[in-house]
Amino acid sequence: MDLLEVMRKRRSIRNYTDEPVREEDLQKIIQAGLLSESGKAKRPWQFIVVRNKEVLEYLSRCREGGVKMLKEAQCAIVVTGDAEAQDVWVEDCSVAMANMHLMASSLGVGSCWIQGRLRKADEKTTEEYVREKLKFPENYKLEAILSLGMPAVKMPAYDLEELDMDKVRVIE
Ligand SMILES: Cc1cc2nc3c(=O)[nH]c(=O)nc-3n(C[C@H](O)[C@H](O)[C@H](O)COP(=O)(O)O)c2cc1C
């Protein structure tokens, strides 16, 4: 399938079956993240791969909303970036998130971006809440969590004819 076709079919999937994500697919998803471009090639990220159901349940309370899918997820990849090593760690980690999400979709694995940075869990920030369990160092900041599981829903592909071309300005 050509890349544009993969992108057309990519959707955020928030409902998963009980079927596990195959180890070889998970490895490809991680490789897609590790292959991402990065400012000055610093690659400041650390991916924390969570397969433990109790930890996934804990993570499903890391935010006030938009995170329930972690209860059903078979796996999650917590993306953190070293803010001391890289000024553009947010951009770097976002590229890695997007590449892993797209790779998952191309393999038929459902996934969804769960925003962590700038979000809150009750009294704490989402980052503080997640760090308490996963124990990543202070210089590593939380970007987002990619939930993963085999899709329990089918979302429609996008139609190229319906793309909002008003968002594009051409200067000739
Ligand atoms: C920066 C960013 C943050 C997002 N945060 C969440 C989130 O916290 N929870 C969620 O369910 N979806 C989240 N999403 C997924 C978007 O809701 C989704 O991409 C959008 O609704 C378009 O749907 P699609 O991905 O199926 O095209 C996020 C996506 C991005 C790029």
Side-chain angles (χ1 to χ4, degrees):
M1 214 189 309
D2 86 297
L3 185 55
L4 192 60
E5 198 54 12
V6 173
M7 289 174 157
R8 202 176 65 77
K9 292 183 172 162
R10 179 216 59 80
R11 294 301 308 267
S12 296
I13 303 293
R14 299 178 177 86
N15 296 96
Y16 313 110
T17 68
D18 292 338
E19 194 188 334
V21 174
R22 295 188 319 159
E23 191 54 42
E24 64 238 60
D25 287 347
L26 180 59
Q27 287 312 312
K28 285 185 187 171
I29 293 165
I30 293 166
Q31 285 167 342
L34 293 172
L35 282 167
S36 302
E37 66 269 41
S38 159
K40 297 184 183 157
K42 287 195 176 169
R43 303 195 166 85
W45 44 66
Q46 184 166 68
F47 307 149
I48 305 171
V49 181
V50 180
R51 277 211 182 259
N52 180 296
K53 277 279 178 192
E54 276 169 36
V55 180
L56 288 169
E57 165 71 29
Y58 175 91
L59 293 177
S60 76
R61 295 187 296 276
C62 75
R63 284 255 314 265
E64 277 146 21
V67 75
K68 294 266 178 337
M69 55 283 210
L70 282 174
K71 285 193 177 146
E72 284 182 19
Q74 293 296 319
C75 180
I77 303 175
V78 178
V79 174
T80 66
D82 186 346
E84 287 177 15
Q86 174 68 304
D87 55 354
V88 292
W89 69 272
V90 174
E91 289 83 353
D92 287 351
C93 288
S94 298
V95 174
M97 276 291 293
N99 284 345
M100 291 195 285
H101 174 53
L102 191 61
M103 175 56 84
S105 176
S106 79
L107 296 167
V109 177
S111 71
C112 188
W113 181 311
I114 296 164
Q115 184 64 19
R117 196 176 71 88
L118 308 177
R119 295 291 178 264
K120 284 190 75 182
D122 293 327
E123 299 302 291
K124 295 173 193 156
T125 64
T126 298
E127 179 177 283
E128 286 165 345
Y129 178 89
V130 174
R131 180 179 282 116
E132 255 174 41
K133 192 74 169 177
L134 303 184
K135 314 270 183 232
F136 51 91
E138 282 290 329
N139 51 315
Y140 278 82
K141 305 297 175 198
L142 175 66
E143 168 63 23
I145 303 173
L146 189 70
S147 61
L148 291 159
M150 300 315 289
V153 287
K154 189 157 168 46
M155 295 288 284
Y158 287 106
D159 186 340
L160 294 183
E161 300 303 316
E162 287 175 12
L163 291 178
D164 186 358
M165 295 308 286
D166 289 345
K167 296 206 180 281
V168 181
R169 217 157 62 91
V170 180
I171 299 180
E172 286 181 311

